[in-house]
């Protein structure tokens, strides 16, 4: 199945990146975070709703291609597709067709997670790359960015905590 990528090399996007270090291995962090229950890590932060459920998932998130619909606490949803999967190293996905205010700001988003060796642990780097609607780039790059960054930091903290808790349970 060919995947139609939302963002092309010539698009002018608004990237927002967060990162965090952890003592767990890249492979462990990867295998916990890729299939993580979105309701455990995406909580309401500021004006952004949390994920309350996931509908219509078409398969396991262990290869490029599966789709799903995250459902948000404000009653909205989005279409999500896993677009890249490199075992133990990185994965990427795209979100589109938002039914909330994000639809007025962006055509869609490309999310990418990278799990890089960092001594005996891992540096996790997560980027959301927004494809702005015409005339909306300034909003995404300006007042929106610090609010969204807080949302991402909170979710990344939850992901890392979950990976560390699961690793501690195995000790």
């Amino acid at each position: 199945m060919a995947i139609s990528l939302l963002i092309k090399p010539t698009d002018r996007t608004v990237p927002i990146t967060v990162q965090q270090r952890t003592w767990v291995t890249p492979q462990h962090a990867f295998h916990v975070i890729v299939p993580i229950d979105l309701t455990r890590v995406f909580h309401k932060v500021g004006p952004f709703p949390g994920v309350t459920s996931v509908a219509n998932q078409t398969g396991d998130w262990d290869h490029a291609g599966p789709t799903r619909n995250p459902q948000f606490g404000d009653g909205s949803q989005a279409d999500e597709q896993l677009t890249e999967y490199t075992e133990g190293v990185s994965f990427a996905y795209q979100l589109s067709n938002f039914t909330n205010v994000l639809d007025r700001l962006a055509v869609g988003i490309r999310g990418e997670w990278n799990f890089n060796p960092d001594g005996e642990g891992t540096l996790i780097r997560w980027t959301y790359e927004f494809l702005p609607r015409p005339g909306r780039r300034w909003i995404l790059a300006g007042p929106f960015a610090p609010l969204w960054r807080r949302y991402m930091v909170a979710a990344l903290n939850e992901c890392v905590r979950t990976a560390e808790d699961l690793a501690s349970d195995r000790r």
Side-chain angles (χ1 to χ4, degrees):
M1 170 176 99
I3 296 172
S4 177
L5 295 179
L6 175 73
I7 295 177
K8 310 292 186 262
T10 56
D11 288 330
R12 200 163 160 238
T13 62
V14 177
I16 301 173
T17 301
V18 296
Q19 66 182 31
Q20 187 172 335
R21 288 181 164 78
T22 178
W23 55 266
V24 303
T25 66
Q27 293 74 23
H28 176 78
F30 179 89
H31 287 289
V32 169
I33 292 173
V34 173
I36 203 160
D37 176 357
L38 300 181
T39 66
R40 287 185 64 172
V41 296
F42 287 98
H43 305 289
K44 181 178 178 9
V45 175
F48 304 114
V51 174
T52 56
S53 66
V54 174
N56 308 315
Q57 187 160 326
T58 62
D60 292 335
W61 280 56
D62 59 2
H63 64 283
T67 61
R68 63 187 178 189
N69 301 105
Q71 310 291 303
F72 302 104
D74 63 357
S76 66
Q77 68 173 17
D79 295 339
E80 183 177 21
Q81 181 176 30
L82 190 59
T83 57
E84 296 175 30
Y85 183 94
T86 304
E87 176 68 33
V89 176
S90 66
F91 70 99
Y93 51 93
Q94 57 192 19
L95 292 151
S96 60
N97 300 317
F98 289 93
T99 61
N100 60 18
V101 72
L102 276 179
D103 185 59
R104 293 187 197 103
L105 298 175
V107 174
I109 300 165
R110 179 182 192 278
E112 181 179 327
W113 291 72
N114 292 280
F115 300 82
N116 303 300
D118 185 50
E120 293 183 16
T122 305
L123 173 64
I124 301 170
R125 186 170 291 126
W126 177 26
T127 299
Y128 251 45
E129 189 177 5
F130 291 84
L131 179 59
R133 291 208 178 274
R136 302 294 195 273
R137 187 176 200 293
W138 71 272
I139 297 170
L140 290 170
F144 179 86
L147 297 172
W148 192 260
R149 185 172 285 107
R150 275 190 269 166
Y151 188 67
M152 291 176 69
V153 166
L156 179 55
N157 287 341
E158 290 295 323
C159 287
V160 168
R161 184 164 27 138
T162 300
E164 290 177 348
D165 287 350
L166 289 172
S168 293
D169 290 348
R170 293 181 183 171
R171 288 183 169 183

